[in-house]
Amino acid sequence: MATPLEKARKDPESMKARILHIARRFFGEYGYHGTTTRMIAKEAGIDSSTLHYHWGDKKDLYEAVIVDINKDLGQKLIAVEKRIHGLPLDQRMAIAIDAMTDYLFKFPEVSNLVLFHYFSKTRDALDLRVPEFTADIARSMGLTRDRKTTSPRAKIEVLAVMNAIHNFISGEKFFRPIVNLNRKDYISIVKETLKFVLIGSFVEREKKQKSS
Amino acid sequence: MATPLEKARKDPESMKARILHIARRFFGEYGYHGTTTRMIAKEAGIDSSTLHYHWGDKKDLYEAVIVDINKDLGQKLIAVEKRIHGLPLDQRMAIAIDAMTDYLFKFPEVSNLVLFHYFSKTRDALDLRVPEFTADIARSMGLTRDRKTTSPRAKIEVLAVMNAIHNFISGEKFFRPIVNLNRKDYISIVKETLKFVLIGSFVEREKKQKSS
DNA sequence: TTACTTTTCCATCAAACGATGGAATCAATG
DNA sequence: CATTGATTCCATCGTTTGATGGAAAAGTAA
C-alpha cells in the first residue's frame, strides 16, 4: 500500500526523499523541460542511474513532485482553515494571507510548481490529476451560499487571491530588483500590499449584503 | 539601423515575421526549453536551417520574441493611458482593466511570455533587458506622490494588478475547466471579478486621503 | 539570356539527453 | 563467515536537439 512517495515523505533522510526534495527545487526553477535528470543527480551527488533506480522515468519523478507539493499545500490549507474558523471575514483573510505567504516564502518551489502547472504545457503527455482546492477555500471563506455547489464567480475570486500570493513568491527574483528592497522588506511589503488589495472589496461587499 | 526585428515588424508577410509570430506562440506555451527550433520550423512549413538563416541561434530568436512582445505591450499601455487620462480613479481602473484584458485574451502569448519571464529560469545564460512598465503605470494611475520617484509600495501594487490580469489569460486552459464555463462567459466573469477585487481598495483609500 | 544575390532545403555533425544492462558495493541476516 | 537483497556507479545505447556547410532553387537586374 505504501507508494514510493509515501515512503519518501515518511523518511526525509532517505535517498528517495533527498532526490525528491532536490527535484522539487529544480523543476520549480527551470520547469519540466528546463530540468535534466543529470542536473538533479549531480546536485544530489549521485549518478543519474541511481535516480532512475529510485523514481523511474523523468516523467514519474515529476509526477511524484507534483503530488508531493500538492499534499503539502493541502495540509497547510487545512491547518490555516482551523486557525481562522469562526473569525470575522477581514481577520480570516488577513490571517490566511499572512500564514500562506510565510509558508510559501519558506518553500517557494511550491508556488513555482503550482504556477508552472497553471501556465505552461509539456511536450511529454503527462496527465496528472491535481487536487483542487478552490471550492474548499471558497467555502472556508464563506463565499458559497449553497453548501454543496460553488459558483464560478466564487471560484474565480479564490483563484485571484491565491494567484496573487503565488506570484509574489515565484516572482521574487524578478520583482525584488524592481522595488530594490532586501528580502525581509520585500516580504513585509508584499504581505501589506496583498492584504490591502485583496481584503477591502470582500469586506465591503459583505457589509452591503448584511445591511440589506 | 533597421534591426531584423524592426524589419519583421514592418512587413508581417515576410518569412521573418512569420517565424517570429509562430515562435511567440510556441515559446509562450512551452517555454524556452520546452520549445524546439524544429517545432517552430515545422509549424512554419520550413526547414530548421531556414529558421537559423533568418534569426540565428535559438537564443537570438527568443530574445527577439521577448523584445517584440514588450514593444506590443508598451504600445498598448500607452494607448490605454491616453484613453483614461483625466478620468476619476474608479473609471480609470475599470477601463484599463477592460482594455488590457481584451487585448491579452486576443494575444495570450503576451501574458504567457511575460509570466514565463517572471517565474522561470533558463539554463542558457541569456540576459535580456526588458523595459519596465511598473513606474509608468503607477504614475498613470496616480499612485506616485512625487513626480520623479515611485515608491516600492506603489510598484508592488501595480505588479499585483498587472499579474492578476496576466494570470487569468495564461491560466485559461487550467482555470476554465474548474469553473466550467465557455470561453465567452469565462472572459466576462474574469473581467467582472478583476474589477471587483482590484478597484475597491484603491478607490476607498483615495476617498480617505481626500477627506483628510 | 547571363550573372549575381537571396532564400531554401538536404545531409550531417557534435553535444546533450533520457534511459538501460550489468558489474561493484554496501547492508542485513543466518 | 557466506548468502542474499538492496543500492550505487560505470559504460554505453538510441534519440533528440541546436547548429552548420554546401548544393539547389528562387528572385533580381543587366
Side-chain angles (χ1 to χ4, degrees):
Chain A
M1 196 55 215
T3 67
L5 179 59
E6 282 163 5
K7 252 183 170 176
R9 285 174 67 88
K10 277 181 189 167
D11 180 8
E13 300 296 317
S14 68
M15 178 57 73
K16 252 191 163 54
R18 181 179 164 71
I19 295 170
L20 189 71
H21 184 251
I22 292 170
R24 274 170 61 139
R25 280 182 19 228
F26 274 96
F27 282 128
E29 288 183 9
Y30 296 92
Y32 179 73
H33 291 294
T35 303
T36 69
T37 54
R38 280 175 169 85
M39 284 167 64
I40 300 171
K42 190 179 178 186
E43 179 78 8
I46 58 172
D47 188 89
S48 76
S49 55
T50 303
L51 186 153
H52 189 268
Y53 168 79
H54 284 288
W55 288 106
D57 293 355
K58 182 185 184 182
K59 207 190 296 189
D60 301 328
L61 174 58
Y62 183 73
E63 289 194 10
V65 165
I66 297 296
V67 173
D68 186 45
I69 64 125
N70 272 289
K71 282 195 177 170
D72 281 1
L73 195 54
Q75 287 177 1
K76 188 66 194 178
L77 285 171
I78 289 171
V80 170
E81 214 284 331
K82 278 187 185 166
R83 275 186 55 197
I84 61 176
H85 189 74
L87 295 173
L89 180 61
D90 58 338
Q91 290 182 40
R92 243 173 21 243
M93 290 192 73
I95 294 174
I97 290 172
D98 267 329
M100 288 310 297
T101 308
D102 281 332
Y103 167 71
L104 292 170
F105 266 114
K106 208 177 287 177
F107 305 98
E109 337 88 64
V110 176
S111 288
N112 291 343
L113 285 161
V114 167
L115 294 183
F116 255 118
H117 200 233
Y118 286 169
F119 299 144
S120 68
K121 289 185 186 171
T122 301
R123 261 147 46 205
D124 301 23
L126 35 92
D127 56 344
L128 355 136
R129 298 208 188 297
V130 178
E132 230 257 78
F133 302 123
T134 50
D136 303 276
I137 299 174
R139 210 166 299 128
S140 154
M141 282 296 160
L143 298 177
T144 48
R145 301 218 166 262
D146 191 340
R147 291 248 169 249
K148 289 178 182 173
T149 63
T150 308
S151 71
R153 174 61 188 260
K155 286 183 180 176
I156 291 282
E157 287 174 0
V158 170
L159 285 170
V161 173
M162 283 304 297
N163 286 337
I165 300 174
H166 285 308
N167 282 337
F168 283 113
I169 281 87
S170 279
E172 179 182 351
K173 73 171 187 315
F174 199 88
F175 300 152
R176 197 143 70 77
I178 292 178
V179 293
N180 194 28
L181 294 173
N182 61 43
R183 188 177 157 87
K184 193 168 159 286
D185 290 341
Y186 175 76
I187 293 178
S188 106
I189 210 171
V190 159
K191 287 164 77 171
E192 273 178 50
T193 306
L194 283 173
K195 283 183 274 185
F196 162 71
V197 174
L198 297 177
I199 298 178
S201 307
F202 289 94
V203 172
E204 206 63 27
R205 178 172 62 183
E206 201 192 38
K207 266 190 205 164
K208 283 181 193 163
Q209 284 173 349
K210 279 188 178 168
S211 70
S212 70
Chain B
M1 196 53 213
T3 65
L5 180 59
E6 282 162 6
K7 253 183 169 175
R9 285 176 66 88
K10 276 180 191 167
D11 180 7
E13 301 296 318
S14 67
M15 179 55 74
K16 254 191 163 51
R18 181 180 165 69
I19 295 169
L20 189 70
H21 183 250
I22 293 171
R24 273 170 62 139
R25 280 181 20 227
F26 274 96
F27 281 130
E29 290 184 7
Y30 296 93
Y32 179 73
H33 291 293
T35 303
T36 68
T37 54
R38 279 175 170 84
M39 285 166 64
I40 300 171
K42 191 179 178 186
E43 179 78 7
I46 58 172
D47 189 90
S48 75
S49 54
T50 304
L51 186 153
H52 189 267
Y53 168 78
H54 284 288
W55 288 107
D57 294 354
K58 180 185 183 184
K59 208 191 292 188
D60 301 327
L61 174 59
Y62 183 73
E63 290 193 9
V65 164
I66 297 297
V67 173
D68 186 46
I69 63 126
N70 273 290
K71 282 195 178 168
D72 282 0
L73 196 54
Q75 287 177 0
K76 188 67 195 176
L77 286 171
I78 289 171
V80 170
E81 214 285 330
K82 278 186 185 164
R83 275 185 57 196
I84 62 176
H85 189 74
L87 295 173
L89 180 61
D90 56 340
Q91 290 182 38
R92 242 173 24 242
M93 290 192 73
I95 294 174
I97 290 172
D98 268 329
M100 289 310 297
T101 307
D102 282 333
Y103 167 72
L104 293 171
F105 267 114
K106 208 177 289 176
F107 305 100
E109 337 87 68
V110 176
S111 289
N112 290 344
L113 284 160
V114 167
L115 294 182
F116 255 119
H117 200 233
Y118 285 170
F119 299 144
S120 69
K121 289 185 186 169
T122 303
R123 261 147 44 207
D124 301 21
L126 34 93
D127 56 345
L128 354 139
R129 297 212 188 293
V130 178
E132 231 258 77
F133 302 122
T134 51
D136 303 275
I137 298 174
R139 211 166 298 127
S140 154
M141 283 296 161
L143 298 177
T144 49
R145 302 219 164 259
D146 191 339
R147 292 247 169 250
K148 290 177 181 175
T149 61
T150 306
S151 71
R153 173 60 187 261
K155 286 183 179 176
I156 290 282
E157 287 174 0
V158 170
L159 286 169
V161 173
M162 284 302 299
N163 287 337
I165 299 174
H166 284 307
N167 283 336
F168 283 114
I169 281 87
S170 279
E172 179 181 353
K173 73 172 188 314
F174 200 87
F175 299 153
R176 197 143 69 76
I178 292 179
V179 293
N180 194 28
L181 294 174
N182 61 43
R183 189 177 157 86
K184 192 167 158 287
D185 290 341
Y186 175 76
I187 294 178
S188 106
I189 210 171
V190 159
K191 287 164 77 171
E192 274 178 48
T193 307
L194 282 172
K195 283 183 273 186
F196 162 71
V197 173
L198 297 176
I199 298 179
S201 306
F202 289 93
V203 172
E204 206 63 26
R205 178 173 64 184
E206 201 192 37
K207 267 189 206 165
K208 282 180 192 165
Q209 285 174 349
K210 279 188 178 169
S211 69
S212 71

